[in-house]
Structures are given as structure tokens and as C-alpha cells.
Amino acid sequence: FYGKVLSLKFTNVVIMMGSSRLSSGRYLPLIALIRIIFLSSSCSHGFVVRCPTSFGIRISTSLCGDSSDATDTTSTTSFASISVELEDARTAALEALERATSVREAEDVRVKYLGKKGIVASAMGYMRSLPPADKPKLGSVVNVVKDTLESAVVSRKSALEIEEVNVQLEKERIDVTMPGLPNLTPGKRHPLSMTIEKACEVFVSLGYDTVTALEDSPEIETDYYCFEALNCPKDHPARDMQDTFYLTEDMETLLRTQTSAVQIRQMETRKPPFRIVSPGRVYRKDDIDATHSLIFHQVEILAIEKRGELTLGHLKGTVEYFLQQMFGPDIDVRFRGSYFPFTEPSMEVDVFFRGKWLEVLGCGMVDPNVLEMAGIDPMEYSGFAAGFGAERFAMVIHGVTDIREFYNSVSIITLFCQFSCSCFSFLTKIILLQDNRFISQFPHFHDDGMISHLVGGNREERKKAMNALGIETTESDMPFTSLTEVADGSTSTALTRDQSDPKPGKEKKKKKKKSTSSDAVVADIDISKLDIRVGKIIKVWDHPDSDKLFCEEIDLGEEDGPRQILSGLRAHYSAADLEDRKVLVLANLKVRKLAGLESKGMVLCAASEGGEKVVFLDVPKGAEVGERVTFKGYEGEPATPNQIIKKKLLDKIFPHFVTDKNGVPTYKGVTMETIAGLCTSSLPNCEIS
Ligand code: DAH
């Protein structure tokens, strides 16, 4: 025996019972019971009981009417009442559809009336209980109601759909005629790029040349440069740590695992002494997790000098200085003895971060074998090298806990980098200012980095923003606006500090605080790095491809003979005016090309506002060719050819180069002179360029 309620609705009860064994006589008490239940449960319509043969019974209430007995009239009344009820349902459904305000509500109406449990389906359920003559009648009534409702639902839904789309469009309307927003700034630097850039800047300020050209720093390397020449032959166990992607069957070509390969290429091509810093992408076949990525970035340094001139003390001083610049002057640094195939001795360097020592860098004195293999005589030269992962630094500095955040396009970092304008800017500012990890760790760094990007370039505003976040700022927290402004004087301390100094870091820290405590927040630039000398123009000719440029051969008293320097004074002087004339030349600039011709150096001029008048700076009477220009108070040596003055530094210096009221060229009020006397010019109160 089993029972199943098919449908129990307000006026509609159908109970199926089936049994193969019980005879219909035995059902009678049960039927009586059901009847009592339905009558007593306020089912006002009574019900019809039909007892088929041995396989079951069907009990149904009538949909409507007053039939409490199973008589012939029941079915007639049922059909009539079903029709009426269907008609009522149709009217109700159409009204409900009309009232529906969304596609969703229209769908609810459909489900209510046309769904599996809807009135149309229930009405069909009565078909079997009707006399044969009524069946087609009910069928056609049901079909009419069904068709009407179905098409009403379809048309109401599509009308509502159109309405909804229109509302949505209206909501999202963009007024393309609106004026642009002020202060639109392009996207921001990626924290990783900022970290790499900053690291390089520190080393550039220490006299290192950056090496980034593809031919000097290829990512597709040979086994030789990546391992062999770094004292790491094929069977060397150190190779296990640096599995990579091999590009050829013979495993001779591979994706480099370390920027140390650049050291070898530089040793092969440069003549010592030299210092290089080389950032680059490297690859390792590692399992990816929060701290490992198949692709990451390293920065490598290498300094080679005459043998004995660079000691482990210099290496330690340099590394410590670098780490202070990156992590702040109070960072604690620890050196541990370690092993790298290409350095001897080797050290690993840790910084104390969040209560733990964190390894950040590897370094050592270049192994004489490595020097020799690269063609540098180890009896004549020695040097040190260091390398570190940029991601590790950026993670510490910006409080990023998962390396993948740097590359993932939906990470907060990339969000920050991409959307820095208009409303996105506002949004990212809010997110990032709330997300303290970006600014609370190393406020001094954010002076250059995040905070300035978020709040703007104004030091006061940055300070305010940091204070608002509960980050205390002192002058020493924000010691510089750019590393190029760090005095070259302080950098040389890092390179020349005595190895026997027991606490080199502490002493330097004190010095630093002193120099930044007063209004001299920005350390002064050592302009004695500029090599300005008296030169004599020997020959002048027109640049073949530029009507503004002269080509000049200028004698600076150098062994290699006169240099070719291009200058843009054709509008102001004739070639004859220039020949045999003495001029002041900024000599330690890299060779650059102007309209296709090489120029090495720059002739200094004074220019009136707008450049209407331009004149050469005049050399003091009696000054000899090659004589150097000096500035009182800046008594250092000019940068060597390997430390050639960088454009960035010039951009900082030149705004302070002006002629005074007497036409004397000055830097921040300090006059430009040679041993023969003051330099001069015929244009007072003008910029020098
Ligand atoms: N190349 C090393 C690495 O990837 C890092 C390194 C250590 C570089 C010591 C150096 C060095 O130049 O001297 O693990």
C-alpha cells in the first residue's frame, strides 16, 4: 500500500492510492477516514471518491460546487466548475501580468498559472475523471486558457524587458559632452619598477653605470655566461638551486637564472676600473607559491678596481649604505658567511624585519678564477659583486605578502598602477590609504613612492596624509625627495670607509640625522663632480642635417686631441665668430647623437628668457685651454669617465645655474671661476644652459 499526495490546493485534492493485494472492500474505512478529515478541515466543496479496481483508488475533491456524493451529476458539475475556475484564473493571471513591473514578476505569474503546479496543469489532471463527452470540452477550454496566458506572458515579458533595458541605459548614460576632469594623471609606476629604479639610483649615486641594453644583459643566455664563466661547471651542485628552461636540446641555450651573467659580459667588454649596476628579469623552474615565481627580477652590482683598492670593508659599507637607502636609516643589517661559486669570500645579508632576520642579498669578493676567465688579470685587479631579488625588496617595502600580486592583473597593486585618474584615483586612494601596508612600513620610501603617488608631490601634504594615518613623521623619516639629491660626499663614505671601523652603520646614521635636521632637508649636490673646462674652438662647420646646429672641433687640452661637440648657436653667431674662441665646456657627458652626428660634451651659454638672446659664457682673461672651472666650497674631483654625469643629475643642477646681476655665472650664488679669475658673460640675470 502506498499513498502519494499529488496536489493539495485550496479547492483541489487528489490522492492516489495503489495496491495490488487489497480488495476494494478493505478501503472503505480508509475512505471514510479521509472523508472525515476533509470535511472537518473546512474543505467546503466536499469530494468525489472513485474506486477503480484492485490497483488503487483515486480520491478527488471537486474543483467547485457542492458534490459530496459520487453520482453522475458530479462530473457535469465538475466540468462546469472547472471551466469557471479556469476562466477566473485567466482573468486573474492577465491582471497579474498587467501589474507586473519586471520580467521576474511576469515569470512568477507564468509559474503560478502555467507551471507544473499551476491551475492549467491541475485542470488537465481532471481529464481522466470526466465522462468521455466532457473530456474534449475540458481539453479545448484548457487549451484556450493556456494559449491566451502563454502569449500574454511572452508579450508582457518582452515589453518589460525593453523597459528594463531603457532604465539601465538611462542609468549608465555617459555625457560625452562633459568637460574633462582636471588633474588627470597617467597610470602610476609599478611598485616593482619603483623598487628597481630606486635601487639603481642608489648605485648610480655611488658612481655605478647602469647596464640595461639587450646586448649587454640578454635574458636568453648561454650556459657559459650563466654558469660556466661564473665558476659553476656542469656538474657543480650549486646548479641544483637554479634549474631553468633550456631552449636547445644540447642545453647550451637557456633562460638566465641570475643577472650575475651580466658581470661576465661587462668584464669582457669594459676596461677596469669600473662599476656597474644591472637590473634584469631572470627565470627559474620553481614551483609557484607566495614567494616563488617562474619569472622574477634581480639587480646585480659589480665594482672592479686596482688590486687592493676594494676590500671586504668597502663591500660591507656599500651594501649597508644601499640597504639604509632602501629600508631607512635605522634598518639593522647582518652579514653571514655564505657560499657562491663566483665570489670568495661570500656573504649573505639579512635585514631585521618584523621581529625576524630576513635574507635579502648575496655578495662577495669576485673570485680570481672568474676575473681570469673573463680576461681580467687578478694580479692587477680585484673587485666585489652583489645581487638581490627585486621582488623580495618590494615585498618588504610595500608589505606585500604574495609575490603573485605583482603580476596578477586584478591585484590591488595593478589596480593602483592602472587607475590613477579621475574617479578611479579617488577609489584607489581610499583603498590604499585604508590599506596601511602600503604606507606604514617604510615612510621614507613612500616619500618617493606610494605616498607621493597617492597624495601628490608636495612634502607637506604627504606628511599630513601620513600623520592622518597615525604614521609619525620626522625630518629624518623623509630625508630626500630623490636619491640623485643625496650628496656624492656621503656616498664616497660608503666606498672608502675603513674596514676596522667597529660600528660603521651607527656612525653614519648620526651623521645623516645631523645633516637633515635643519632646513637643509635635501642634501646638497656635489657640483665638483661636473668637469667644466676651458676649451678652444678650432673648427666650425654647419651641421649637414640641421639648420640650427653647428659642428665644432674643440680643444680641451686632451691627449686624444680635440673633440667634436655640437651646439645650437647658428642663429646667434656666424662660423667666423666662433673660430679660435675660448669657451667653457661641460666635458664629462656621455657621447650623444644630435641629428645623426656625435657630440661629446656641451658648450655652456647664458640665455635670456624665451631664448631670444644666447651668448657663450666667457672665459677669464689668461685662462689656459684645459683649465678647470671651480666653485668655492665644492672641492671634489670630477666624475671619472665611468661615472659620467647623468642627465637626471643635470636636471637637478641646471635650474640653479644662473648669471648674477653682473653677468657672472653662479651655482646657488657660488661663482664659477678658474685659477685665472671669474668667468663672465654679457647677459646678466639669465639662465645657463
Ligand atoms: N646570483 C646570486 C643568486 O641568484 C646572487 C648573488 C650572490 C649575486 C652573490 C652576486 C653575488 O653578484 O656576489 O642567488
Coordinates of all heavy atoms in Angstrom, one line a residue, residues 226 230 241-242 257-261 263 282 284 296 298-302 315 339-348 359 361-366 384-389, ligand 1:
C226 N 75.9 32.0 -18.0 CA 75.0 31.9 -16.8 C 75.7 31.1 -15.7 O 75.4 31.3 -14.5 CB 73.7 31.3 -17.3 SG 72.4 31.5 -16.0
L230 N 80.9 31.7 -14.4 CA 80.7 32.1 -13.0 C 81.2 31.0 -12.1 O 80.8 30.9 -10.9 CB 79.3 32.4 -12.7 CG 78.8 33.7 -13.3 CD1 77.2 33.7 -13.4 CD2 79.2 34.9 -12.5
M241 N 70.2 24.5 -7.5 CA 69.3 25.5 -6.9 C 68.7 26.4 -8.1 O 67.9 27.2 -7.9 CB 70.1 26.5 -6.0 CG 71.0 25.8 -5.1 SD 70.2 25.6 -3.5 CE 70.1 27.3 -3.0
Q242 N 69.3 26.3 -9.2 CA 68.9 27.2 -10.3 C 68.5 26.4 -11.6 O 69.1 26.6 -12.6 CB 70.1 28.1 -10.6 CG 70.5 28.9 -9.4 CD 71.3 30.2 -9.7 OE1 71.5 30.5 -10.9 NE2 71.8 30.9 -8.7
T257 N 69.2 32.5 -15.1 CA 68.7 32.3 -13.8 C 69.1 33.4 -12.8 O 68.6 33.6 -11.7 CB 69.2 31.0 -13.2 OG1 70.6 31.0 -13.2 CG2 68.6 29.8 -13.9
Q258 N 70.1 34.2 -13.3 CA 70.7 35.2 -12.4 C 71.3 36.3 -13.3 O 71.8 36.0 -14.3 CB 71.8 34.6 -11.5 CG 72.8 33.7 -12.2 CD 73.7 33.0 -11.3 OE1 73.8 33.4 -10.1 NE2 74.4 32.0 -11.8
T259 N 71.2 37.5 -12.8 CA 71.8 38.6 -13.5 C 73.3 38.6 -13.4 O 74.0 39.4 -14.1 CB 71.3 40.0 -13.0 OG1 71.2 39.9 -11.6 CG2 69.9 40.3 -13.5
S260 N 73.9 37.7 -12.6 CA 75.3 37.6 -12.5 C 76.0 37.4 -13.8 O 77.2 37.7 -14.0 CB 75.7 36.5 -11.5 OG 75.1 36.7 -10.3
A261 N 75.2 36.8 -14.8 CA 75.8 36.6 -16.1 C 76.2 37.9 -16.7 O 77.2 38.0 -17.5 CB 74.7 36.0 -17.0
Q263 N 77.7 40.3 -15.2 CA 79.1 40.6 -14.7 C 80.1 40.2 -15.7 O 81.1 40.9 -16.1 CB 79.4 39.8 -13.5 CG 78.7 40.3 -12.2 CD 79.1 39.4 -11.0 OE1 80.2 38.8 -11.1 NE2 78.3 39.3 -10.0
V282 N 64.9 37.5 -14.6 CA 65.5 36.2 -14.5 C 64.4 35.1 -14.4 O 63.3 35.4 -14.1 CB 66.5 36.0 -13.4 CG1 67.7 37.0 -13.5 CG2 65.9 36.2 -12.0
R284 N 63.4 30.9 -13.2 CA 63.8 29.7 -12.6 C 62.7 28.7 -12.6 O 61.5 29.1 -12.5 CB 64.2 29.9 -11.1 CG 65.5 30.7 -11.0 CD 66.2 30.5 -9.8 NE 67.3 31.5 -9.8 CZ 68.0 31.8 -8.7 NH1 67.7 31.3 -7.5 NH2 68.9 32.7 -8.8
F296 N 61.2 36.4 -12.2 CA 61.3 37.5 -11.3 C 62.4 38.4 -11.7 O 62.9 38.3 -12.8 CB 61.4 36.9 -9.8 CG 62.6 36.0 -9.6 CD1 63.8 36.5 -8.9 CD2 62.6 34.7 -10.0 CE1 64.9 35.7 -8.7 CE2 63.7 33.9 -9.8 CZ 64.9 34.4 -9.2
Q298 N 66.1 40.6 -10.7 CA 67.3 40.8 -9.9 C 68.0 42.1 -10.2 O 67.8 42.6 -11.3 CB 68.3 39.6 -10.1 CG 67.8 38.3 -9.4 CD 68.9 37.3 -9.4 OE1 69.8 37.3 -10.3 NE2 68.8 36.3 -8.5
V299 N 68.8 42.5 -9.3 CA 69.6 43.7 -9.5 C 71.0 43.2 -9.1 O 71.2 42.6 -8.1 CB 69.2 44.9 -8.7 CG1 70.2 46.1 -9.0 CG2 67.8 45.4 -9.1
E300 N 72.0 43.5 -10.0 CA 73.3 43.0 -9.8 C 74.3 44.1 -9.7 O 74.1 45.1 -10.5 CB 73.7 42.1 -11.0 CG 75.0 41.3 -10.9 CD 74.8 40.0 -10.1 OE1 73.6 39.6 -9.9 OE2 75.8 39.5 -9.7
I301 N 75.3 44.1 -8.9 CA 76.3 45.1 -9.0 C 77.7 44.5 -9.1 O 77.9 43.4 -8.6 CB 76.3 46.1 -7.8 CG1 76.6 45.4 -6.4 CG2 75.0 46.9 -7.7 CD1 77.3 46.3 -5.4
L302 N 78.6 45.2 -9.7 CA 80.0 44.7 -9.8 C 80.9 45.9 -9.8 O 80.6 46.9 -10.5 CB 80.2 43.9 -11.1 CG 81.6 43.6 -11.5 CD1 82.1 42.5 -10.5 CD2 81.7 43.0 -12.9
L315 N 82.9 46.6 0.5 CA 81.7 45.9 0.1 C 80.6 46.0 1.2 O 79.5 46.4 0.9 CB 82.0 44.4 -0.2 CG 80.8 43.5 -0.4 CD1 80.0 43.9 -1.5 CD2 81.3 42.0 -0.6
Y339 N 78.2 30.9 0.7 CA 78.9 30.4 -0.5 C 78.3 30.7 -1.8 O 77.0 30.5 -2.0 CB 79.1 28.9 -0.4 CG 79.7 28.3 -1.6 CD1 81.1 28.4 -1.8 CD2 78.9 27.8 -2.6 CE1 81.6 27.9 -3.0 CE2 79.4 27.3 -3.8 CZ 80.8 27.4 -4.0 OH 81.3 26.9 -5.2
F340 N 79.0 31.3 -2.7 CA 78.6 31.4 -4.1 C 79.8 31.0 -4.9 O 80.9 31.3 -4.6 CB 78.2 32.9 -4.4 CG 77.0 33.4 -3.7 CD1 77.1 34.2 -2.6 CD2 75.7 32.9 -4.0 CE1 76.0 34.7 -1.9 CE2 74.6 33.4 -3.3 CZ 74.8 34.2 -2.2
P341 N 79.6 30.3 -6.0 CA 80.7 29.8 -6.8 C 81.6 30.9 -7.3 O 82.8 30.7 -7.5 CB 80.1 29.1 -7.9 CG 78.6 28.9 -7.6 CD 78.3 30.0 -6.6
F342 N 81.0 32.1 -7.5 CA 81.8 33.2 -8.2 C 82.4 34.2 -7.3 O 83.0 35.2 -7.7 CB 80.9 33.8 -9.3 CG 79.5 34.0 -8.8 CD1 79.1 35.2 -8.2 CD2 78.5 33.0 -9.0 CE1 77.8 35.4 -7.7 CE2 77.2 33.2 -8.6 CZ 76.9 34.4 -7.9
T343 N 82.2 34.1 -6.0 CA 82.8 35.0 -5.0 C 83.5 34.3 -3.9 O 83.1 33.2 -3.6 CB 81.7 35.9 -4.4 OG1 80.6 35.2 -4.0 CG2 81.3 37.0 -5.4
E344 N 84.6 34.9 -3.5 CA 85.3 34.2 -2.4 C 86.1 35.3 -1.6 O 86.9 36.0 -2.2 CB 86.3 33.2 -3.0 CG 87.2 32.5 -2.0 CD 86.3 31.7 -1.0 OE1 85.3 31.1 -1.4 OE2 86.6 31.7 0.2
P345 N 85.8 35.6 -0.4 CA 84.7 35.0 0.4 C 83.3 35.5 -0.1 O 83.2 36.6 -0.7 CB 85.0 35.5 1.8 CG 85.7 36.8 1.6 CD 86.5 36.7 0.4
S346 N 82.3 34.8 0.4 CA 80.9 35.2 0.0 C 80.1 35.5 1.3 O 80.4 34.9 2.4 CB 80.2 34.1 -0.7 OG 81.0 33.7 -1.8
M347 N 79.2 36.3 1.2 CA 78.3 36.6 2.4 C 76.8 36.7 1.9 O 76.5 37.1 0.8 CB 78.7 38.0 2.9 CG 80.1 38.1 3.5 SD 80.5 39.7 4.2 CE 80.5 40.7 2.8
E348 N 76.0 36.4 2.9 CA 74.6 36.7 2.7 C 74.2 37.8 3.7 O 74.8 37.9 4.8 CB 73.7 35.4 2.9 CG 73.4 34.8 1.6 CD 72.9 33.3 1.8 OE1 73.1 32.7 2.8 OE2 72.3 32.9 0.8
E359 N 66.6 37.4 4.9 CA 67.7 37.4 3.9 C 67.3 38.2 2.7 O 66.2 38.0 2.1 CB 68.0 35.9 3.5 CG 69.2 35.8 2.6 CD 69.3 34.5 1.9 OE1 69.0 33.5 2.6 OE2 69.6 34.4 0.7
L361 N 70.0 39.6 0.3 CA 71.0 39.9 -0.7 C 72.2 38.9 -0.6 O 72.5 38.4 0.5 CB 71.5 41.3 -0.4 CG 72.4 42.1 -1.3 CD1 72.0 43.5 -1.3 CD2 73.9 42.0 -0.7
G362 N 72.9 38.6 -1.7 CA 74.1 37.8 -1.7 C 75.3 38.7 -2.2 O 75.0 39.5 -3.1
C363 N 76.5 38.5 -1.7 CA 77.6 39.3 -2.2 C 78.9 38.6 -1.9 O 78.9 37.6 -1.2 CB 77.5 40.7 -1.6 SG 77.7 40.7 0.2
G364 N 79.9 39.2 -2.4 CA 81.3 38.7 -2.0 C 82.3 39.3 -2.9 O 82.1 40.2 -3.7
M365 N 83.6 39.0 -2.6 CA 84.7 39.5 -3.4 C 84.8 38.5 -4.7 O 84.8 37.3 -4.5 CB 86.0 39.4 -2.6 CG 86.0 40.2 -1.3 SD 85.5 41.9 -1.5 CE 86.9 42.6 -2.3
V366 N 84.9 39.1 -5.8 CA 84.9 38.3 -7.0 C 86.1 37.3 -7.0 O 87.2 37.7 -6.7 CB 85.0 39.2 -8.3 CG1 85.0 38.4 -9.6 CG2 83.9 40.3 -8.3
F384 N 84.4 43.5 -6.1 CA 83.3 42.9 -5.3 C 82.0 42.9 -6.2 O 81.9 43.7 -7.1 CB 83.1 43.4 -3.9 CG 82.7 44.9 -3.9 CD1 81.4 45.3 -4.4 CD2 83.5 45.8 -3.3 CE1 81.1 46.7 -4.3 CE2 83.2 47.2 -3.2 CZ 81.9 47.6 -3.7
A385 N 81.1 42.0 -5.8 CA 79.8 41.9 -6.5 C 78.7 41.6 -5.5 O 79.0 41.1 -4.4 CB 79.9 40.8 -7.5
A386 N 77.5 41.9 -5.9 CA 76.3 41.6 -5.1 C 75.1 41.4 -6.0 O 75.1 42.0 -7.1 CB 76.1 42.7 -4.1
G387 N 74.2 40.7 -5.5 CA 73.0 40.5 -6.3 C 71.8 40.3 -5.4 O 71.9 39.7 -4.3
F388 N 70.6 40.8 -5.8 CA 69.4 40.6 -4.9 C 68.2 40.5 -5.8 O 68.1 41.0 -6.9 CB 69.4 41.6 -3.9 CG 69.3 43.0 -4.4 CD1 68.1 43.6 -4.8 CD2 70.5 43.7 -4.6 CE1 68.1 44.9 -5.3 CE2 70.5 45.0 -5.1 CZ 69.3 45.6 -5.5
G389 N 67.1 39.9 -5.2 CA 65.9 39.9 -5.9 C 65.0 41.1 -5.6 O 64.8 41.5 -4.5
Ligands
DAH1 N1 73.4 35.4 -8.4 C1 73.1 35.0 -7.0 C2 71.7 34.4 -6.9 O1 70.9 34.5 -7.8 C3 73.1 36.3 -6.1 C4 74.4 36.8 -6.0 C5 75.2 36.4 -4.9 C6 75.0 37.7 -6.9 C7 76.5 36.9 -4.7 C8 76.2 38.2 -6.7 C9 77.0 37.8 -5.6 O2 76.8 39.1 -7.6 O3 78.2 38.3 -5.5 O4 71.4 33.7 -6.0

